[in-house]
Amino acid sequence: MHDHRKLGRELGLFDTDPLIGAGLPYWLPAGAAIRHSLEEYVRREERRAGYRHVYSPVLGKRELYELSGHWAHYREDMFPPLEMGEQPGDDELVLRPSLCPHHAVMFRSRARSYRELPLRMAELGGMYRSERSGVLGGLTRVRSIQLNDAHIFCTVEQVAEEARGALELIRRAHRALGIEAVRYRLSLAGEGAKYVADPELWERSAELLVQALDGLGIGYERAAGEAAFYGPKIDVQVVDNAGREFTLSTVQVDFHQPARFDLHYTGPDGAKHRPVMVHRSIIGSVERAVALLIEQHGGAFPAWLAPVQLVVLPVSEEELPAAGAVLARARELDLRVELVEPRDGSLAARIREHRLVPYQAVLGAKEAADEAMAVRLRDGRRLPPLPVERVLAELGAVVAEQRAELWQG
């Protein structure tokens, strides 16, 4: 059983330090490469699905979160405000606990027409949760979160279709990443002041989410007390190697914040109409997604995610010039490649040391003379010497297409 906390440190992916603080991991080069590849994959899939990407600040005035409802319903999970003046009434800034208030403000930054809807706004943005020290652990429970978030502003008639499209995007991403959902949960409101008091809003939102689930034939379980404070949501649940279940991906319907921010668009009748916000996240927090991938793959990541995709192993010092040329060409093709020199150990020892790298290219005297290399695959297979350009082109195709780690020959 793999533990991402242990593997992450052994493989030099991430770490923490008391001087930085608990729940605030830093990413080392190898982990940053995985994170970057995952983020770029998500952005590309979102662009293909019609999303437009934005950036917004991680801070906002307390007034912003009072308006959104976070201050009243979510304050215990937020960091204390930062005092920006010496007098009462001076601005107080808050580290944001979510991105939706910023996106609502961005929607209302200019007049909108029904022709623009659905407007799909996406961001991989930072947010912060005031988690207690006792619940922090590795990458799965942190205080600084990079969230794959998006908000779809649409008409009521478009909600079910947009929620269905978000679910399809989530399922496609899970297949590409090798993630298997254990169940889909329809998370509903519970008792108490944690939730916005509007029974009609909750019922209407839940009905739209059920339409999306039924439209795809997805079975689900209802769970009271698991909703967001402003509305119900579909939670896609996964299980880590320790058997702990957690939410990775979500789709939510929100009538509350559009009303709070007085969002509107001009309809075909020339009148103002209120949009609905569909919140959705394909992989949730990048930290939690990477933790799951570390444990699922045991550090042996698919080539497109691997921190090092190709390691070049010259047999002796004489092959170093040829190995350097391969290294340079691979980098030109935007591949993550490392050169491991003979002085670092015997060939067998170097192969063992880099056994988690998807592809190992061995260069002996004959390969160097023929501008070829003998490729060893991570599963133990060995290919006959092939031209350097052919090997790099095939590897580039594997990485670009995120296809399975199978050499096509």
Side-chain angles (χ1 to χ4, degrees), residues 40-186:
E40 283 305 299
Y41 166 78
V42 169
R43 285 193 182 98
R44 183 166 55 251
E45 289 299 305
E46 287 174 335
R47 286 194 298 271
R48 289 172 176 169
Y51 288 82
R52 303 178 71 181
H53 291 96
V54 298
Y55 289 106
S56 57
V58 298
L59 289 165
K61 290 174 64 174
R62 171 176 163 175
E63 181 183 352
L64 173 68
Y65 303 103
E66 289 174 340
L67 183 59
S68 70
H70 286 82
W71 192 254
H73 298 280
Y74 203 74
R75 183 177 174 183
E76 63 184 29
D77 294 305
M78 297 170 63
F79 282 99
L82 306 173
E83 301 285 347
M84 301 308 295
E86 299 179 357
Q87 302 299 322
D90 285 342
D91 285 348
E92 293 180 329
L93 295 181
V94 179
L95 284 166
R96 67 179 174 192
S98 65
L99 282 67
C100 45
H102 287 78
H103 289 187
V105 169
M106 294 167 82
F107 179 86
R108 75 176 193 181
S109 63
R110 65 172 177 82
R112 303 285 181 178
S113 165
Y114 72 95
R115 295 185 180 90
E116 297 179 68
L117 306 184
L119 191 157
R120 305 181 185 102
M121 188 182 297
E123 180 175 3
L124 272 157
M127 67 179 199
Y128 299 84
R129 301 283 171 87
S130 181
E131 300 280 13
R132 300 296 177 258
S133 298
V135 302
L136 298 172
L139 295 176
T140 55
R141 202 71 180 265
V142 294
R143 289 170 171 158
S144 175
I145 302 165
Q146 192 74 13
L147 186 68
N148 157 231
D149 204 9
H151 299 93
I152 305 167
F153 300 89
C154 60
T155 68
V156 174
E157 293 76 20
Q158 294 169 333
V159 170
E161 181 63 29
E162 289 301 312
R164 185 160 56 245
L167 285 171
E168 289 174 332
L169 193 55
I170 288 167
R171 295 168 87 182
R172 186 159 64 247
H174 285 194
R175 284 193 297 270
L177 295 168
I179 294 171
E180 185 173 349
V182 294
R183 67 187 178 110
Y184 286 74
R185 185 178 72 193
L186 180 62

Side-chain angles (χ1 to χ4, degrees), residues 19 22 152 209 256 378:
L19 192 59
I152 305 167
L209 290 175
H256 174 70
R378 185 164 48 195

Side-chain angles (χ1 to χ4, degrees), residues 344-408:
D344 294 328
S346 67
L347 180 61
R350 286 180 284 153
I351 288 172
R352 286 195 303 273
E353 179 69 19
H354 295 85
R355 64 189 179 279
L356 294 180
V357 177
Y359 302 106
Q360 299 179 338
V362 178
L363 274 72
K366 188 174 189 310
E367 287 82 12
D370 295 343
E371 296 186 352
M373 51 190 183
V375 177
R376 300 174 62 98
L377 279 64
R378 185 164 48 195
D379 62 11
R381 287 179 289 159
R382 301 184 188 185
L383 301 178
L386 295 167
V388 168
E389 285 296 329
R390 179 180 173 186
V391 173
L392 297 181
E394 175 67 12
L395 177 52
V398 169
V399 171
E401 298 169 17
Q402 289 99 33
R403 55 182 162 90
E405 200 172 307
L406 295 174
W407 197 264
Q408 303 300 307

